[in-house]
């Protein structure tokens, strides 16, 4: 069981949105999120083997964080993912957050609401002072979400993702405490 987040389901009444801890049945969603237009800012689509490994990491994240599927109601349709995980940044232990919403559901505030729900969970943990996001400098939508949710742009940086590939990112930081 994941400390502090196991079994949590949050619903945003105004949009009919729920985030649910990642489950084995979310593998199909991960394949949908691997489309070329979705992976444009993340080094391109991953192989089937890479997707299966990612799915396993999401299921086994344990006390390091939590991955969620984003469910839209009343259809109960999985439309994206959002999650957070412990990482080291500038010699400090922090949480990192990431999200992805299928193209046909983008531009509707779904990612912002899901990220806001995760931030509320992480803030309630009172474990780390900051949560960070590292969208590509070219990912206008993700950078806009960071601005909208009051993250502070701290710098541009070089970020290794996927392993062995480097990209220019904006380093965004939100104070949690």
């Amino acid at each position: 069981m994941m400390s502090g987040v196991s079994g949590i389901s949050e619903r945003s009444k105004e949009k009919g949105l729920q985030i649910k801890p990642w489950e084995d049945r979310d593998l199909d969603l991960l394949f949908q999120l691997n489309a070329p237009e979705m992976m444009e800012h993340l080094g391109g689509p991953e192989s089937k083997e890479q997707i299966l490994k990612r799915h396993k990491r999401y299921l086994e994240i344990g006390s390091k964080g939590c991955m969620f599927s984003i469910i839209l109601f009343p259809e109960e349709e999985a439309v994206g993912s959002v999650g957070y995980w412990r990482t080291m940044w500038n010699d400090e232990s922090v949480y990192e957050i990431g999200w992805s919403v299928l193209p046909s559901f983008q531009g509707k505030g779904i990612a912002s609401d899901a990220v806001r729900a995760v931030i509320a969970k992480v803030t309630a943990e009172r474990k780390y002072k900051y949560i960070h996001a590292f969208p590509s400098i070219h990912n206008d939508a993700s950078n806009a979400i960071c601005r909208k949710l009051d993250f502070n742009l701290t710098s541009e940086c070089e970020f290794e993702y996927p392993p062995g590939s480097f990209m220019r990112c904006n380093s965004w930081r939100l104070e949690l405490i």
Side-chain angles (χ1 to χ4, degrees):
M1 277 198 146
M2 292 173 277
S3 169
V5 295
S6 183
I8 293 175
S9 291
E10 292 294 326
R11 189 180 290 216
S12 169
K13 290 183 171 106
E14 64 275 1
K15 295 226 191 273
L17 178 127
Q18 178 183 38
I19 60 172
K20 291 180 17 182
W22 199 261
E23 299 176 347
D24 198 44
R25 66 180 172 180
D26 292 319
L27 178 59
D28 183 55
L29 173 61
L30 203 51
F31 277 108
Q32 291 176 59
L33 293 169
N34 191 47
E37 65 271 22
M38 295 295 302
M39 299 299 288
E40 175 185 355
H41 301 292
L42 297 171
E46 294 179 307
S47 69
K48 180 179 179 179
E49 179 181 303
Q50 289 170 312
I51 291 293
L52 293 172
K53 284 181 181 178
R54 174 183 299 280
H55 180 61
K56 184 177 181 192
R57 282 194 314 272
Y58 286 6
L59 291 169
E60 297 174 355
I61 198 167
S63 64
K64 297 175 189 166
C66 190
M67 289 304 298
F68 301 92
S69 57
I70 303 169
I71 309 297
L72 209 54
F73 282 87
E75 302 84 2
E76 296 189 39
E77 185 174 1
V79 299
S81 68
V82 62
Y84 67 98
W85 51 93
R86 189 175 53 233
T87 191
M88 291 297 291
W89 182 249
N90 294 334
D91 298 320
E92 182 180 1
S93 200
V94 299
Y95 277 136
E96 181 178 343
I97 190 167
W99 57 88
S100 188
V101 172
L102 293 169
S104 60
F105 296 94
Q106 292 175 4
K108 299 176 182 187
I110 293 168
S112 296
D113 286 348
V115 170
R116 192 178 289 112
V118 168
I119 290 169
K121 291 179 183 311
V122 173
T123 300
E125 284 184 13
R126 305 184 75 73
K127 200 170 191 177
Y128 294 114
K129 185 174 181 177
Y130 299 108
I131 192 163
H132 291 256
F134 300 97
S136 162
I137 61 170
H138 303 294
N139 188 334
D140 295 335
S142 287
N143 284 292
I145 290 169
C146 290
R147 274 190 296 282
K148 178 180 180 179
L149 298 180
D150 295 324
F151 280 72
N152 293 309
L153 179 60
T154 60
S155 67
E156 243 185 57
C157 60
E158 190 169 66
F159 204 79
E160 186 176 11
Y161 190 87
S165 180
F166 290 88
M167 59 189 233
R168 293 297 298 164
C169 293
N170 283 323
S171 174
W172 292 92
R173 180 177 79 180
L174 179 69
E175 189 167 351
L176 298 171
I177 298 174

